[in-house]
Amino acid sequence: ELFTSMAHLEKALWAEKDIADELRQYVTREEERLQTIRRIADDLESHSQQALKHPENHLANPVSAFLFTKRFTLDWEREVDSLLKASNNIQDISERIDYLKQALPTFEDLNGAVSALLRLQDTYHLETGKMASGDVGGVKTSILTASDCFELGRIAYNTEDYYHTVLWMDEAMMKLTLERNETVDRSEILDYLSFSLFKQGNVRHALTLTEELLLLAPEHTRAKNNKAYYEKLLLTDKYAEGREDLGETIVRNPRTVDEYRNSHEFTTYEALCRGEDTQPVKDQHRLKCYYLTNNNPLLILQPIKVEEAHLDPWIVLFHDVMNDIEMATIKNLATPKLGRATVHNSMTGKLETATYRISKSAWLKAIEHPIIARVNNRIDAITGLELNTAEELQVANYGIGGHYEPHFDFARKEETNAFKSLGTGNRIATWLTYMTDVEAGGATVFPYLGVKLFPEKGAAAFWFNLYRNGDGIFNTRHAACPVLVGTKWVSNKWIHERGQEFRRPCSLQMDE
Ligand SMILES: O=C(O)CCC(=O)C(=O)O
Ligand SMILES: [Fe+2]
């Protein structure tokens, strides 16, 4: 067919050339794609090399933890997935990567990292600008781009948390003006920011930003509708008068919190976490430090250093009660068993997870390792209390933002079921060993006493939860502050009533 006319033949030659062009373009595209993949691989490798030098430290701050989590969720979805899908050997490589990704953070983790970061921002009064520039409570961390701030704000937005959305979208806008290669679309930020400002009661400001958005994207349907809506609102009395009229510089951004978070107890708890002195500590001038041996052979050669933190109720710190080998062993034994910590639901009597307690914990029996038994004996020697009726050793590990909001360790009269199955009565005393220093945050605080204990590796806090007649001491209500930077390991020994009949009064001379 073709050779019957010269005209068509020439067309065929042109087609041949076009195919060559196509192929060449394909090779160029593939080379670009491979180069991008190579760059991503280089990035990941240099990041992990850097991080693996001090793995504990690396993820130990909320901003790095957020960035790391984002890398394998949002960034991955945006950059890597499509690049890999275009490969001919897709089957092979995606199977291997999927397998490896089981160990990597998921979108659920990303949401968790962001909610931890926002909680820390509130509790510790951290400025958005400082956090974004890599300063978390004075500890240096990674710097966030406009896009990072935008994504953070967007996750807040998805939980209808307009307060934090405004903070982080504002920051994204600020960062964007400084970026040579803009990492996010200004119009996208404006879209979220204007609507969140409206939600927070700044209609006039929302309108200004929506108009700015319409300049960038004149066909933006939602923006057009919003503009009309805001204009209409501004004509009504409610918005025409009042603060909005004072000008557009006033931006309202109230943080709405539930009743409990507004309570005196909770705000005191947060202030103590920040290290503030919230109230005078009763009889502070009478607090002492001293050595304790109890005439016990275990302690004669190595008396315990006691530091009183409060007299009535009596709260003390015992220094250097566990050595490094003991602590390392306990952490190693607990690590494979760690599970999300649960709390007693006093209505149902069941154990469940709760946002007011975020940590992982495990229980260790004395028979599991001689070191556990040894530690139990030491607690017996120091407190003079019977340890046979105590609960097993509870080991807890708090990550970034991990905390335990104010609670009692003992069961109240109405919580009749709490420790029934143990058959050893109520929790008469709490022993809490700190097994790490914590870089920032993570104190144990007592909001009704103004007492704050900052973790010190190897030290233990101790207090009685019950009066001698078995009534709870309500002022022992306490909390574990969110970890700001670092990891916090503790081990708890809850000592019970049974078996103390002849032990309390003990050699520590408590009068209550
Ligand atoms: O970790 C802390 O500082 C306190 C923990 C605590 O109160 C508890 O586990 O009951
Ligand atoms: Fe507690």
Side-chain angles (χ1 to χ4, degrees), residues 292-305:
L292 174 107
T293 62
N294 283 348
N295 278 330
N296 188 308
L298 278 178
L299 309 179
I300 297 275
L301 288 180
Q302 213 180 39
I304 298 297
K305 297 184 274 276

Side-chain angles (χ1 to χ4, degrees), residues 84-142:
L84 292 180
K85 282 208 186 84
S87 161
N88 294 330
N89 302 317
I90 166 87
Q91 195 75 10
D92 246 21
I93 180 154
S94 33
E95 265 173 30
R96 280 199 303 274
I97 287 183
D98 281 349
Y99 173 75
L100 293 169
K101 277 188 86 183
Q102 289 175 8
L104 287 166
T106 60
F107 274 96
E108 195 186 336
D109 296 313
L110 179 66
N111 290 335
V114 169
S115 78
L117 201 131
L118 300 179
R119 181 166 61 245
L120 291 170
Q121 177 169 26
D122 296 341
T123 309
Y124 292 103
H125 290 176
L126 305 175
E127 278 171 44
T128 315
K130 271 202 170 160
M131 291 179 93
S133 69
D135 176 347
V136 176
V139 179
K140 279 282 153 224
T141 162
S142 332

Side-chain angles (χ1 to χ4, degrees), residues 255-268 270 405:
R255 177 159 82 101
T256 38
V257 289
D258 58 40
E259 208 178 320
Y260 176 56
R261 254 144 254 273
N262 260 326
S263 69
H264 189 61
E265 171 178 296
F266 198 83
T267 51
T268 309
E270 290 193 303
E405 290 179 7

Side-chain angles (χ1 to χ4, degrees), residues 404 407-409 430 463 478 492 494:
Y404 192 177
H407 64 277
F408 303 109
D409 281 358
T430 295
W463 64 87
H478 60 280
N492 272 314
W494 282 295

Side-chain angles (χ1 to χ4, degrees), residues 357 394 396 398 404 407-409 427 430 432 434 442-445 453 455 463 478-481 488 490 492 494:
R357 182 179 191 190
Q394 189 194 58
Y398 300 78
Y404 192 177
H407 64 277
F408 303 109
D409 281 358
R427 285 174 171 168
T430 295
L432 172 73
Y434 300 104
T444 310
V445 301
L453 307 174
W463 64 87
H478 60 280
C481 298
K488 178 181 173 188
V490 295
N492 272 314
W494 282 295

Side-chain angles (χ1 to χ4, degrees), residues 389 391 422 424-428 494-498 500:
T389 51
E391 291 168 58
L422 300 175
T424 52
N426 210 342
R427 285 174 171 168
I428 195 171
W494 282 295
I495 303 168
H496 279 241
E497 291 177 292
R498 290 297 102 74
Q500 316 305 344

Side-chain angles (χ1 to χ4, degrees), residues 49-109:
Q49 239 170 32
Q50 198 57 32
L52 281 170
K53 282 186 199 154
H54 304 283
E56 283 262 340
N57 288 356
H58 187 77
L59 293 180
N61 86 58
V63 174
S64 310
F66 161 69
L67 284 178
F68 182 70
T69 319
K70 178 169 166 285
R71 179 190 298 260
F72 289 102
T73 49
L74 283 174
D75 298 350
W76 189 278
E77 209 174 64
R78 194 163 303 153
E79 298 180 31
V80 189
D81 264 347
S82 58
L83 283 172
L84 292 180
K85 282 208 186 84
S87 161
N88 294 330
N89 302 317
I90 166 87
Q91 195 75 10
D92 246 21
I93 180 154
S94 33
E95 265 173 30
R96 280 199 303 274
I97 287 183
D98 281 349
Y99 173 75
L100 293 169
K101 277 188 86 183
Q102 289 175 8
L104 287 166
T106 60
F107 274 96
E108 195 186 336
D109 296 313

